[in-house]
Amino acid sequence: MTVTGIQAPPLADTPLGRTIATTATDIWNDSCAIAELEYAISFGAVGATANPTIVTDVWKAEPARWRARVAALAAEGPGADETELAWQIVDEMSVRAAPLLMPAFEASGGRQGRLSTQTDPTFHRSAPRMLAQSLHFAGIAPNIIVKFPATSAGLDAMEEASANGVSVNTTVCFSVAQAVAAAEAIERGIRRREAAGESTAAMGPVVTIMMGRIEDWLRVQTERDGIVADPAALPWSGVAVFKRAYGLFRERGYRARLLGAAIRHHYHWSELIGGDVVITMPASWQRRFNASTIEVRPRMDDPVDPAIVAELAAHYPDFVRAYEPDGLERDAFDAFPPTARTLRAFIASYHELLHQVTDAMIPNPDLRPAS
């Protein structure tokens, strides 16, 4: 919901602007690109996210800028390797975007106005390395929130980070079981911090469910395994998982809010309207939704048709694993196919970023220098 004390943004009277202004639902920009974030803020968005794919995309949008920065940073630190320089670039992208969200952060006491940055995806099996990186990120700007994957090691890192006052954003999460485990890990960390007499007032944790990536996996299974199911049911798969988790979060009073991500169609926005949740969406979807005639009305409490849930459950065991609160044990989180697919994608994007940094450090002499 729009924070008090802030003048209505220019595009407040748009479908997404009305979503924020008239309901408890917040919207974040699914990028740290400045121009895209400025557009999102213009209708009232109060946060932004980044991941290795997004960071690589931001580089590709401004390659000359970031190549020049790598060259300058390499000159300042002759011993720095590609990995160190890549993370300096991630820091700079974050620091550049974070101030745009500070008005919302200050007005909401930390509940809104967050810039989300992500731990190294290659650390997904190492809680200590994720924790150390999160403590660094938390120090680069006051309104940083740090993404940890909902892997077994990631849960341990989330608890320790929360105990250290870091606001956590769970990512690489596709099931009710993962979302609940993440919320409980965050709760344990916050309670430990409170027991130590430390403040938790400005913490604003969220637990992301990547709705579109659940659907992506079921579509892959459909083609790979020759499954014949009602195609109209598939777009509801991520929504059903999200709504099931939302009911449990509300029932159990977790302090972390749910965040819906990986937008594939308007259900991933329209069916969540009215919930005390966050939806993060790329600029391309923001513009499409703002140009749409979708009615802005609360639908979060509208259940997914039981016949649709039954159709999905009958054909897709992985939907059942995602939908049922006890569908996955913690030791199965890392190997859950949507988790494995997303970790592979994030690690590939991270390696692509490292390649871009290497190419900027050591320009190809076969190519004529840009004039």
Side-chain angles (χ1 to χ4, degrees), residues 48-261:
T49 65
N51 61 38
T53 302
I54 289 170
V55 167
T56 304
D57 288 344
V58 171
W59 176 294
K60 290 177 179 178
E62 300 179 280
R65 174 192 179 93
W66 298 112
R67 287 179 66 89
R69 282 303 297 144
V70 166
L73 291 168
E76 294 168 11
D81 63 19
E82 288 86 347
T83 301
E84 293 171 286
L85 293 172
W87 287 106
Q88 287 184 60
I89 292 297
V90 172
D91 284 358
E92 288 200 11
M93 289 182 181
S94 301
V95 169
R96 191 170 66 134
L100 277 68
L101 296 164
M102 280 302 294
F105 177 78
E106 293 171 346
S108 68
R111 178 177 169 85
Q112 300 170 330
R114 295 280 181 175
L115 188 286
S116 184
T117 191
Q118 185 162 332
T119 53
D120 186 333
T122 67
F123 292 174
H124 65 93
R125 297 173 61 190
S126 173
R129 296 173 82 182
M130 284 187 275
L131 175 62
Q133 194 173 36
S134 76
L135 296 174
H136 163 76
F137 284 146
I140 66 175
N143 56 334
I144 293 292
I145 187 171
V146 183
K147 285 185 176 182
F148 298 81
T151 58
S152 183
L155 295 173
D156 291 335
M158 288 177 221
E159 178 177 343
E160 293 303 319
S162 298
N164 279 274
V166 176
S167 288
V168 166
N169 178 358
T170 303
T171 187
V172 193
C173 179
F174 314 91
S175 65
V176 175
Q178 286 173 292
V180 167
E184 290 180 347
I186 292 166
E187 282 294 317
R188 289 194 298 270
I190 291 175
R191 287 196 295 268
R192 284 170 52 193
R193 185 168 179 81
E194 291 171 334
E198 300 287 346
S199 175
T200 62
M203 295 175 68
V206 296
V207 173
T208 296
I209 294 180
M210 306 182 87
M211 301 175 291
R213 288 181 178 265
I214 302 167
E215 182 180 332
D216 291 348
W217 169 237
L218 298 186
R219 291 186 185 281
V220 168
Q221 276 197 307
T222 299
E223 298 305 315
R224 188 194 68 182
D225 301 339
I227 296 171
V228 178
D230 183 351
L234 283 171
W236 291 95
S237 54
V239 173
V241 171
F242 193 96
K243 290 194 176 195
R244 186 78 183 272
Y246 182 70
L248 291 174
F249 271 51
R250 192 161 50 176
E251 175 187 312
R252 299 177 184 181
Y254 296 135
R255 280 175 277 194
R257 300 170 80 193
L258 273 175
L259 184 152

Side-chain angles (χ1 to χ4, degrees), residues 292-321:
S292 75
T293 58
I294 301 297
E295 181 185 4
V296 176
R297 63 174 179 82
R299 297 182 182 85
M300 188 68 209
D301 291 333
D302 295 348
V304 175
D305 185 343
I308 289 176
V309 174
E311 174 73 3
L312 291 166
H315 295 283
Y316 300 100
D318 280 345
F319 171 75
V320 177
R321 295 185 185 102

Side-chain angles (χ1 to χ4, degrees), residues 6 30 103 158 176 182 215 228 234-235 264 303 324 346 362:
I6 296 180
D30 203 13
M158 288 177 221
V176 175
E215 182 180 332
V228 178
L234 283 171
R264 300 293 185 265
E324 295 296 339
F346 283 175
I362 313 171

Side-chain angles (χ1 to χ4, degrees), residues 15-46:
L16 296 182
R18 291 193 294 275
T19 296
I20 297 165
T22 64
T23 78
T25 308
D26 283 334
I27 293 172
W28 288 9
N29 183 62
D30 203 13
S31 170
C32 56
I34 296 299
E36 294 178 357
L37 180 53
E38 288 175 339
Y39 174 77
I41 291 172
S42 75
F43 62 76
V46 291

